[in-house]
Amino acid sequence: MLTIFYIFAVLSVLGALGVLFLRNPIHCALSLVGTFFCLGAIYVMLNAEFVAVIQVLVYAGAIMVLFLFVLMLLSSKDSEQYVNKWSVGKILAGLLSLGIFIQIAGLFTANELQLGSKGEYPLEVVEEVGSITLIGRLLFTDYILSFEIIAILLLVAVIGAVVIAKRRFQ
Amino acid sequence: MIPIEHILLLSALLFIIGVLGVMLRRNVIVIFMSIELMLNAVNLSFVTFARSLDSMTGVVFIFFIIVVAAAEAVVGLSIILSIFRTRKTLNIDEFNLLKW
């Protein structure tokens, strides 16, 4: 179990580094798809099957296909030459993100991590009832208002995308 | 059982790679992909905390995060599309109409 987790963790970090360092944006998108698949596998190991399925369907499927579609639509000729250049801004960016990483990692590995009390869905309950049943029950009872708001958000996003991307005739 | 510190460190690492991508890359679509990567890193820590605390709320939140990410990708890509029509480039340094 642990070995499989480490394999998928290393693969997902490699995919993320591909997004950071590959020149061609299409290669970046494909390596991001690999990262999303590895994250889906890790979700399965964490007993969140529903999240794994929508990760693969929505992220690796729908969103990345949309990205690839736009990339192929907008074939831009300008290539990026940033790997060889070392400017002050880039060094500052590296230092800043190193600082953020130290902060987050220190917070996550601190012994006195304040986690609060345990919830009411231990692993046995989740395996007995099924995670999809539990999520659906929560979505349609406790979080029904957020669920409706998210539906309106999707509607607004669809209309907004059509309006923004529409070709304007003079 | 996987120790939660390792998963959280993986999540922090993915988040930082996303931050670096936003700051270092100049292609606007790659910057967008880095934002998606950061959202995924946060999702991973949500699942980890939900599992380790025997709670289901984190998983419900991921549902909302994925919907917001999809909406953001759709609107952002259509904005990029309409900027590309006038500027003919994907370099984010050229998008300076709102700068002063």
Side-chain angles (χ1 to χ4, degrees), chain A residues 1 6 20 30-31 37 41 52 70 83 89-90 94 96 105 130 134 139 147 154 158 162-163:
Chain A
M1 188 74 157
Y6 285 131
L20 187 55
L30 291 176
S31 109
F37 268 109
V70 172
V83 180
K90 272 161 197 164
L96 180 63
L134 287 174
L139 266 182
F147 188 73
L154 269 184
V158 169
V162 172
V163 170

Side-chain angles (χ1 to χ4, degrees), chain A residues 35-75:
Chain A
T35 302
F36 287 165
F37 268 109
C38 296
L39 285 179
I42 293 175
Y43 292 152
V44 172
M45 285 177 220
L46 287 169
N47 294 88
E49 291 87 3
F50 176 69
V51 182
V53 169
I54 55 173
Q55 169 87 12
V56 173
L57 273 184
V58 176
Y59 261 121
I63 296 184
M64 291 322 290
V65 167
L66 193 67
F67 271 97
L68 282 174
F69 208 74
V70 172
L71 271 176
M72 291 175 182
L73 211 61
L74 313 178
S75 57

